[in-house]
Amino acid sequence: MKKKYLSLWATTLFAFAFLLSSCQKELNETIPNPSATTRHDSAGAKARASAPAPTLYIVQKGTLYAVSPQTLTHPINLGGGYAGTAPSMVTDLQSLYAIQGGKLWQVNRFTGQYKQVGYGNWTGAVGLTGAPLSGLVYAQQGDLLWKIDLFGFHRPLGGTGWAGTKAVFRHRSSLYVVWQDGFLYKVNTTNGDYQKLTAGWGNVKAIAAVYGLSDFIYIMEGNNLWEVDIETGKARFVQGGFQNTTAMTGVDGHLFIASNNVLHKVDTSGKVLITNLHWSGITSLGGYSAH
């Protein structure tokens, strides 16, 4: 009798273990795996040393780097696969956002890990701008300005008619857009209403700001850098000689300009503080400021 009860107990225990194993398998099968991306470089998935803050982000010849804006040296390689990235990128505390290959990407700015954000088709988008800490970024693509949340949901900002946009930049809750007519427009980011500010920006290369609450933005028009009042559009000439500018961004009170096949660090008076000759072939810039 004792052996019979022991056998029955063992059988029950085996059945319970089998049931528990089956339940665990079923649970595992319901947990989504990380989605595969179409990026061709896997180096970005490897942990790397943390980048300093504030930080300048550079796409050079298809590779993303994090660099100290104080020295422009000792870059951290955050991975390849960034050829064709739109000229401007934006950051928040943890992430960098960029448009590349017609997709919006979120990149861990310390490790280089990346994932696609949403399923929008951003082919031909003019830059990426915004304040990710507010939960929104902006782009111009097709005939529209777009408001994009950080889950990738997007909707038009205002009406159509923005095809031919040359540059777009968000600053202090407004978009500053240079259209094909050479006018600078100020666009309300709530309803899309806009006003014309000034003309003469037909050869615009980039727009940036050095502080988040500044009353000025900086526009590279041709080879010349201008400081522009965000309310009136009145412009002050800052400095010339920036031939073949491919990208520009602002970090902690300074402008960083990729031109003449080198990288310049420039103050708001136009003085070139550093020129680094090793940064040829820059196609995109972004920055994280500590304040």
Side-chain angles (χ1 to χ4, degrees), residues 38-39 83-86 98-105 116-125 141 154:
T38 57
R39 299 288 291 279
T85 297
I99 289 175
Q100 184 270 343
K103 298 177 176 63
L104 175 61
W105 300 94
Q116 185 178 342
V117 180
Y119 297 96
N121 179 6
W122 300 110
T123 301
Q141 191 269 348
H154 52 279

Side-chain angles (χ1 to χ4, degrees), residues 33-251:
N33 293 316
S35 58
T37 70
T38 57
R39 299 288 291 279
H40 300 294
D41 186 88
S42 61
K46 299 177 182 178
R48 295 175 171 84
S50 295
T55 309
L56 178 66
Y57 292 93
I58 297 171
V59 174
Q60 180 197 44
K61 299 175 182 177
T63 300
L64 176 65
Y65 297 93
V67 184
S68 166
Q70 280 75 35
T71 63
L72 304 184
T73 59
H74 301 94
I76 297 170
N77 185 329
L78 292 174
Y82 290 89
T85 297
S88 55
M89 305 177 288
V90 294
T91 62
D92 60 19
L93 293 174
Q94 186 67 25
S95 301
L96 174 144
Y97 298 87
I99 289 175
Q100 184 270 343
K103 298 177 176 63
L104 175 61
W105 300 94
Q106 180 183 17
V107 184
N108 184 303
R109 66 184 190 88
F110 301 106
T111 68
Q113 290 179 308
Y114 54 79
K115 64 179 181 180
Q116 185 178 342
V117 180
Y119 297 96
N121 179 6
W122 300 110
T123 301
V126 177
L128 184 69
T129 187
L133 285 175
S134 72
L136 293 170
V137 292
Y138 303 85
Q140 188 282 320
Q141 191 269 348
D143 201 31
L144 294 161
L145 296 172
W146 295 93
K147 181 184 291 190
I148 313 163
D149 73 19
L150 300 186
F151 297 100
F153 296 107
H154 52 279
R155 62 184 178 85
L157 175 63
T160 61
W162 292 105
T165 291
K166 303 298 184 182
V168 58
F169 182 71
R170 180 202 177 273
H171 186 63
R172 284 180 53 178
S173 300
S174 296
L175 286 183
Y176 293 86
V177 180
V178 175
W179 194 50
Q180 61 188 359
D181 61 357
F183 271 88
L184 174 65
Y185 293 81
K186 182 176 181 178
V187 182
N188 185 306
T189 54
T190 300
N191 56 28
D193 290 347
Y194 61 86
Q195 64 181 108
K196 280 185 176 182
L197 293 182
T198 50
W201 305 106
N203 193 24
V204 65
K205 302 295 185 180
I207 308 176
V210 296
Y211 293 114
L213 297 178
S214 170
D215 292 330
F216 301 97
I217 56 174
Y218 293 84
I219 299 180
M220 185 68 69
E221 206 283 329
N223 302 330
N224 299 318
L225 180 64
W226 297 83
E227 181 184 76
V228 180
D229 186 291
I230 61 173
E231 297 300 329
T232 66
K234 183 178 179 180
R236 176 183 72 87
F237 176 74
V238 177
Q239 185 61 271
F242 296 104
Q243 286 86 1
N244 303 310
T245 295
T246 55
M248 178 172 72
T249 194
V251 182

